[in-house]
Amino acid sequence: MSNFPFLSVLTVAPLVGALVVAFLPRHRPELAKQVAFAWSLLVLVLSVVMWVSFNAGGDRFQFRESYSWIPNWGVSFTFAADGIALVMLMLIAVLVPLVILASWHDAESSKRSVPVYFALLLVLECTMIGVFAAADVFLFYVFFEVMLVPMYFLIGSYGGHQRQYAAVKFFLYSLVGGLFMLAAVIGLWVVGGKTFDWQALSQVDISTGTERWLFLGFFLAFAIKAPFFPFHTWLPDAGGAAPAGAAALLVGVLDKVGTFGILRYCLPLFPEASKWFAPWALALGVIGIVYAALLAVGQNDLKRLVSYTSIAHFGFIGVGIFAFTTQAGTGAVLYMLNHGLATGLLFLVVGMLISRRGSALISDFGGAGKLVPVLAGVLFFAGLASLALPGTAPFISEFLVLIGTFTVNKPVAVIATLGIILAAAYVLWMVQRTTQGTLNPALTEVDGMRRDLNLREKVVVAPLIALIVLLGFFPKPVTDVINPAVQATMDDIGRTDPAPSVGGTVQEAAK
């Protein structure tokens, strides 16, 4: 199966499914949901086959495909996946079917077209797969920009309060970042011999000044997309206004394009500039961890609170990337996966609570666990995973990031640990105010609060809980895939790990 065009098929398949779903009759919404769900399962099955076919000890980039597109500009449809991209592709394949199931009634409650809503989710899946699979810089840029469109309509047409404001703000921030990247892409094409092929560009020798400017263009685009402090202000608005399923994909996958882009483009293509800018990037990371966590503590809106927690988590990922050790780098990539699972689960569960209560305000809850004990238990588990409790997958990621950073930059690692303390504060405060304590009498008058998790919702949360626990105790199948790609990235920038202490490396312990 290694010769099968996995990446191009995976990219095109959701788009075909979206066209099928979009043209289904509006008076048959159940059919649209079923077709969209079945199509997403097909993508999941194909992704699993690709994962099994990937040789972790083989070439850095596998499943390579290349088709001529604009030969005069050196542009081609080139796809390839290393271990980092493969993990993100699997995250997409897992999350999208669960989001479709979780969003079964979201479009109907907005009184807009049901087929269009699920078609937009499939279009979004197409662009997300394309951006992680692209091995041509121009193709990456195209997917980077096009992926804004379905998310814009999901927020602006199907979102909640202030959805249009949030959608426009999301679009404008991302568009400005895209303009910085476009300028850098053009500059890279000029100095790189008029080609957009990643492998060819990685061999180009660029002068120091030019390399720093090109790095800055890419980094600003990725810092806005992630987002890193101080480019983060669009995320709480977008995450708070988006439907819960769309918000799970926004924070769980779309934002990872920023950190993935730094690993795939900034570090290998501009190694000297990456090292020159690293102290600034580390500073932004630790500020984001503490600042976003403090803001999360003061939130009264559930979805905005989860959005701020994600900004803090992206600070950890940024620290892991720019520590330039394989332990921290592996932790950062693993964090990208585990954050997608844990925060995706948290957003979906929060959406279930909000749909029952009819309000996202924490102050409108109180003692809800007495009415919906299973849902409250899942919210508690998702919160514990988000704060990286030992035994959950995010703990492994956070531990690797901190220990890998501590070996080279002790002050940054020590300051970053403050985020762990603050995470416990905002998560436990959220759980206590929503599901614990004295029952809010107003909840007993809401019909939705009398319904605990149904079978469909249990099917949504069960796989995520299982993966979070499994990877919390046995991350080796994923780290075996990630490690070679991270090591190759460290080799690209000419960095090696400090000598391991007696007893072996932390990374070996994590396996």
Side-chain angles (χ1 to χ4, degrees):
M1 292 291 288
S2 59
N3 294 324
F4 184 80
F6 283 107
L7 297 175
S8 58
V9 172
L10 281 172
T11 303
V12 173
L15 184 60
V16 175
L19 292 173
V20 173
V21 172
F23 287 101
L24 290 173
R26 293 187 62 171
H27 64 273
R28 300 191 64 185
E30 292 300 317
L31 179 61
K33 300 172 187 178
Q34 293 163 4
V35 172
F37 180 63
W39 218 283
S40 65
L41 287 180
L42 176 64
V43 173
L44 174 59
V45 170
L46 189 58
S47 299
V48 171
V49 175
M50 181 176 66
W51 177 278
V52 174
S53 302
F54 186 83
N55 180 9
D59 295 339
R60 177 179 181 179
F61 291 97
Q62 299 178 35
F63 313 118
R64 183 177 174 84
E65 307 170 47
S66 187
Y67 312 97
S68 180
W69 183 12
I70 312 175
N72 291 338
W73 292 359
V75 180
S76 61
F77 284 101
T78 302
F79 299 101
D82 62 356
I84 300 171
L86 184 68
V87 167
M88 297 312 301
L89 292 171
M90 279 304 304
L91 176 62
I92 296 167
V94 169
L95 278 183
V96 171
L98 301 179
V99 165
I100 290 175
L101 270 184
S103 307
W104 210 252
H105 300 298
D106 285 1
E108 294 164 342
S109 61
S110 68
K111 303 187 187 314
R112 293 182 179 270
S113 171
V114 173
V116 170
Y117 178 82
F118 289 97
L120 286 171
L121 287 177
L122 290 176
V123 172
L124 183 61
E125 182 177 28
C126 161
T127 58
M128 291 189 299
I129 291 173
V131 79
F132 288 111
D136 178 279
V137 178
F138 187 81
L139 182 64
F140 172 84
Y141 171 76
V142 170
F143 280 117
F144 183 89
E145 292 290 75
V146 173
M147 71 193 308
L148 304 179
V149 178
M151 183 55 72
Y152 170 82
F153 284 109
L154 285 167
I155 297 173
S157 298
Y158 296 90
H161 181 60
Q162 289 192 323
R163 61 180 180 271
Q164 294 179 346
Y165 167 79
V168 171
K169 189 174 183 180
F170 158 75
F171 194 87
L172 289 179
Y173 265 72
S174 300
L175 189 62
V176 169
L179 291 176
F180 282 113
M181 187 194 293
L182 178 60
V185 166
I186 295 172
L188 185 61
W189 180 76
V190 172
V191 302
K194 298 184 178 181
T195 181
F196 289 108
D197 182 74
W198 184 92
Q199 289 187 322
L201 290 171
S202 64
Q203 306 301 317
V204 174
D205 186 19
I206 306 174
S207 65
T208 300
T210 301
E211 183 177 326
R212 289 177 181 176
W213 281 110
L214 294 177
F215 171 93
L216 192 60
F218 278 92
F219 179 78
L220 285 174
F222 297 142
I224 293 171
K225 175 68 73 177
F228 293 144
F229 174 90
F231 311 106
H232 64 280
T233 60
W234 64 267
L235 181 57
D237 292 318
L249 291 177
L250 173 65
V251 175
V253 180
L254 260 73
D255 292 353
K256 305 302 190 309
V257 174
T259 50
F260 172 82
I262 293 172
L263 286 163
R264 171 64 65 84
Y265 296 95
C266 288
L267 269 58
L269 299 184
F270 317 114
E272 296 306 316
S274 298
K275 289 181 279 191
W276 192 81
F277 278 103
W280 298 98
L282 287 170
L284 294 181
V286 293
I287 292 173
I289 291 170
V290 177
Y291 178 74
L294 289 172
L295 289 178
V297 172
Q299 294 303 307
N300 190 41
D301 184 291
L302 281 168
K303 290 201 288 186
R304 289 180 66 87
L305 187 153
V306 178
S307 298
Y308 275 113
T309 68
S310 294
I311 297 169
H313 293 151
F314 277 105
F316 276 105
I317 296 173
V319 167
I321 292 173
F322 284 97
F324 296 144
T325 66
T326 54
Q327 292 96 339
T330 297
V333 177
L334 196 59
Y335 215 138
M336 289 162 62
L337 169 66
N338 294 336
H339 173 267
L341 297 173
T343 305
L345 174 63
L346 188 56
F347 252 121
L348 294 177
V349 174
V350 162
M352 294 171 189
L353 264 177
I354 293 172
S355 66
R356 284 165 165 77
R357 179 64 178 91
S359 172
L361 298 181
I362 294 174
S363 55
D364 286 339
F365 288 87
K370 296 178 174 61
L371 299 177
V372 284
V374 179
L375 178 55
V378 176
L379 176 69
F380 185 51
F381 174 84
L384 294 179
S386 181
L387 65 82
L389 184 78
T392 63
F395 170 75
I396 303 295
S397 319
E398 208 163 274
F399 181 73
L400 284 173
V401 166
L402 290 174
I403 208 71
T405 304
F406 189 81
T407 59
V408 294
N409 197 322
K410 292 179 176 62
V412 169
V414 170
I415 296 172
T417 55
L418 292 176
I420 300 175
I421 301 170
L422 292 171
Y426 60 67
V427 167
L428 296 178
W429 177 83
M430 174 192 70
V431 171
Q432 192 275 332
R433 291 286 302 276
T434 53
T435 62
Q436 305 300 312
T438 304
L439 176 64
N440 182 351
L443 295 182
T444 61
E445 301 174 6
V446 180
D447 291 338
M449 293 304 300
R450 302 176 188 276
R451 294 181 291 105
D452 211 337
L453 289 184
N454 58 36
L455 179 61
R456 172 180 58 82
E457 292 168 329
K458 290 176 181 177
V459 171
V460 170
V461 302
L464 294 175
I465 293 173
L467 286 171
I468 290 169
V469 173
L470 176 63
L471 295 177
F473 286 94
F474 188 58
K476 187 176 185 298
V478 177
T479 56
D480 284 349
V481 171
I482 293 173
N483 286 340
V486 171
Q487 183 61 61
T489 303
M490 294 301 106
D491 292 342
D492 289 335
I493 60 176
R495 285 298 179 96
T496 58
D497 290 340
S501 58
V502 176
T505 66
V506 175
Q507 196 163 330
E508 289 170 348
K511 291 181 180 180

